[in-house]
Amino acid sequence: MKAAVEAWSSTPRQRFAHVVRIGGDVVGMGELHVRSHTQRQGEISYIVHPRAWGQGIGTEVGRQLLSRGFGQLGLHRIFATCDPRNLGSARVLAKLGMTYEGRLRHTAWIRDGWRDSLAFSILEEEWRAEDAE
């Protein structure tokens, strides 16, 4: 908790949270993490409760985070990763206009073993073109 408070209150701010509620229930959340202000690089991540899958919530969270990163913070490149087994998340990242960059091997130890990650990114000019459509 202390690390999250420090990250969200640092200057310049590096982390921006987004919460999705349906009624009074939190059904999803996401975060934009500015990895480098100098290089204008950020990372997005999100999670959606399984009962809300297939309703476009992940896509909407991603759009909000990308809009903040490019529109308000002036980032140049934003990336995201997902587990290769999570086909829905890979589809969301592609739907957001992100380009598949490749597979990163053994990036995290999860309870069932080492996990690879699929890497995606989008550049500010690609977002503007996507946003204009």
Side-chain angles (χ1 to χ4, degrees):
M1 183 64 89
K2 182 180 176 187
V5 169
E6 288 174 5
W8 288 329
S9 60
S10 68
T11 303
R13 195 163 165 203
Q14 292 183 300
R15 299 177 92 137
F16 301 85
H18 185 83
V19 175
V20 179
R21 295 179 194 270
I22 295 179
D25 297 328
V26 174
V27 295
M29 61 186 212
E31 181 181 60
L32 168 63
H33 185 171
V34 178
R35 293 294 184 172
S36 171
H37 286 282
T38 305
Q39 297 297 318
R40 299 172 45 214
Q41 306 278 317
E43 177 180 12
I44 63 169
S45 58
Y46 55 86
I47 188 166
V48 177
H49 192 282
R51 74 170 181 260
W53 287 352
Q55 297 179 33
I57 292 169
T59 303
E60 184 55 31
V61 169
R63 279 194 186 112
Q64 294 292 325
L65 297 172
L66 292 173
S67 181
R68 174 172 260 175
F70 292 125
Q72 295 173 359
L73 301 175
L75 296 179
H76 173 69
R77 178 179 180 273
I78 299 175
F79 69 94
T81 61
C82 70
D83 187 315
R85 298 170 291 185
N86 190 340
L87 301 178
S89 189
R91 281 192 298 272
V92 165
L93 296 172
K95 189 185 285 188
L96 290 170
M98 300 183 90
T99 299
Y100 173 69
E101 293 186 332
R103 186 181 195 111
L104 306 172
R105 299 178 335 147
H106 289 204
T107 57
W109 177 265
I110 305 291
R111 63 192 158 272
D112 58 346
W114 283 105
R115 177 186 70 117
D116 290 354
S117 293
L118 302 182
F120 293 79
S121 75
I122 187 168
L123 305 177
E124 63 185 320
E125 59 267 16
E126 295 166 339
W127 174 253
R128 288 190 184 125
E130 176 87 11
D131 202 33
E133 293 176 358

